[in-house]
Amino acid sequence: MSAVTTKVRFFSKLSQAKTDSQVVNVAFVDEVLLKRVPGIKKWLAGFDLQIPLKAGEDLKSASRIEAVVETLVSAPVGYARGRTRFFAIGGGSIGDFTGFLASTFLRGVELVQVPTTWVSAMDSAHGGKTALNAAGVKNILGTFHPAAEAWIIEDFFRKQGGERLEESLGEAAKMALLDERVWKASNSAAEKAARWNPARMWKLLPEIIDAKLRVVARDPVEMKGARRVLNLGHTLGHALEAHHGLAHGKAVGIGLYFSLWVSWCEGALSTEDFFALDRALTMNWGLSLANIRKLRMERDRVARLILRDKKSIASGEIRFIGLKAPCRPVQLVVQIDDLLDHLDGFWDEA
Ligand SMILES: NC(=O)c1ccc[n+]([C@@H]2O[C@H](COP(=O)([O-])OP(=O)(O)OC[C@H]3O[C@@H](n4cnc5c(N)ncnc54)[C@H](O)[C@@H]3O)[C@@H](O)[C@H]2O)c1
Ligand SMILES: [Zn+2]
């Protein structure tokens, strides 16, 4: 673990993002990109070694490490700590896997995150967490290994609307609820009237990344509790993700509405602020609770998922991140039974 702060660099074109010829550069790249992104093969030719990977949760497994290390050590490349850079070129799964490898190969080489999905660009590439899944538990293995640099290259995002953009809106809205600068940048009349498209998200991205980095800087290795605010929307979000297989960002989007509801039920948030924030999720971020009834789960099932999700402090008590006003997160300690009652009310009202 090191306390490096990541330098975030923005590029318009792939050809502007140049590797340093003084070091050994290894590209771990989502194989999907090789077919989808014009000019990528030419760009990758500038690396000393390319390792294409299939993205997804199956990649984040210790069982995948052996074969990749085999490829690394059999390549005619002279690695040395201090002059080897691993590039994670892809979404969060590529970032988590490559980050883990970078933190352990030769006891740690430099990492550069090159996120290519909106979710990874605004979230997983920043903050230094690497992760593998094991024993059926997501992200149970991991290290803190902050990237030396994050390269955000517009060529990867130019055409990436649709599902991938939609999946990121929950995480982006979360940062707006937590951070005044993101809130202001996304809450003007002109912004509210606009539809989400790659150009609009690209414009807001630096503000979202800055907001995440400000939180991370207060608690780089998650020891002081300051990072907990980033769990806003994630208590119900993770349960929906685990039970229904919803995309993370979409599940978090619904979780954000629930976090407002719980904050109001617990008396932390005024009725006026509740309605203003609820409206912002729908109007500014295009989130919605339509079809929510289909997602209703049994109380016992939700309780098990929530308690398994690391947020219980004593038996039956949950640390729940809520809001006391726009951009004012608060940690509420809620009994699981009370939380389940709030959830019953939430399903009924939605
Ligand atoms: N380390 C952290 O702090 C952190 C934070 C949040 C999420 N995560 C992890 O990130 C992962 C989710 O992120 P993700 O959705 O980016 O994951 P992902 O890598 O699985 O990518 C999602 C899909 O997008 C495709 N893709 C990647 N780039 C593309 C592009 N430019 N155009 C079109 N398709 C593209 C991939 O092939 C894949 O099918 C999860 O494993 C999660 O645990 C980590
Ligand atoms: Zn998240």
Side-chain angles (χ1 to χ4, degrees), residues 227-339:
R227 272 174 93 138
R228 271 189 214 127
V229 297
L230 297 171
N231 280 330
L232 187 74
H234 282 61
T235 303
L236 181 61
H238 280 156
L240 289 168
E241 200 180 345
H243 187 77
H244 293 291
L246 281 194
H248 179 76
K250 284 196 181 161
V252 169
I254 296 168
L256 292 177
Y257 285 100
F258 182 58
S259 70
L260 300 180
W261 175 255
V262 173
S263 306
W264 179 76
C265 291
E266 289 283 315
L269 189 66
S270 71
T271 303
E272 192 186 353
D273 279 344
F274 169 79
F275 280 117
L277 290 166
D278 190 89
R279 211 168 33 243
L281 290 181
T282 308
M283 306 304 287
N284 302 10
W285 295 97
L287 300 177
S288 141
L289 289 178
N291 301 323
I292 184 81
R293 285 180 187 196
K294 285 194 219 141
L295 299 176
R296 190 166 188 153
M297 287 174 262
E298 294 293 326
R299 265 175 89 101
D300 284 358
R301 173 74 176 144
V302 187
R304 271 202 309 281
L305 288 171
I306 288 178
L307 291 169
R308 198 183 74 181
D309 196 34
K310 298 180 292 196
K311 285 176 206 83
S312 83
I313 36 180
S315 60
E317 277 184 341
I318 304 291
R319 257 195 263 262
F320 188 93
I321 302 299
L323 289 174
K324 51 186 177 184
C327 310
R328 291 294 185 82
V330 59
Q331 181 172 294
L332 305 166
V333 175
V334 188
Q335 289 292 332
I336 183 75
D337 281 339
D338 291 342
L339 196 70

Side-chain angles (χ1 to χ4, degrees), residues 78-156:
Y79 306 104
R81 284 184 70 220
R83 51 177 298 275
T84 300
R85 288 185 127 189
F86 282 6
F87 287 72
I89 306 162
S93 66
I94 304 284
D96 280 0
F97 176 80
T98 306
F100 188 86
L101 208 58
S103 70
T104 48
F105 187 71
L106 302 177
R107 300 202 169 80
V109 298
E110 219 171 71
L111 174 67
V112 178
Q113 291 275 9
V114 188
T116 66
T117 61
W118 292 110
V119 169
S120 56
M122 64 182 63
D123 191 4
S124 56
H126 321 281
K129 287 187 185 177
T130 81
L132 297 182
N133 308 325
V137 186
K138 204 168 137 86
N139 300 335
I140 188 79
L141 301 179
T143 53
F144 281 98
H145 191 66
E149 297 188 1
W151 293 7
I152 322 281
I153 307 172
E154 196 176 1
D155 274 349
F156 287 121

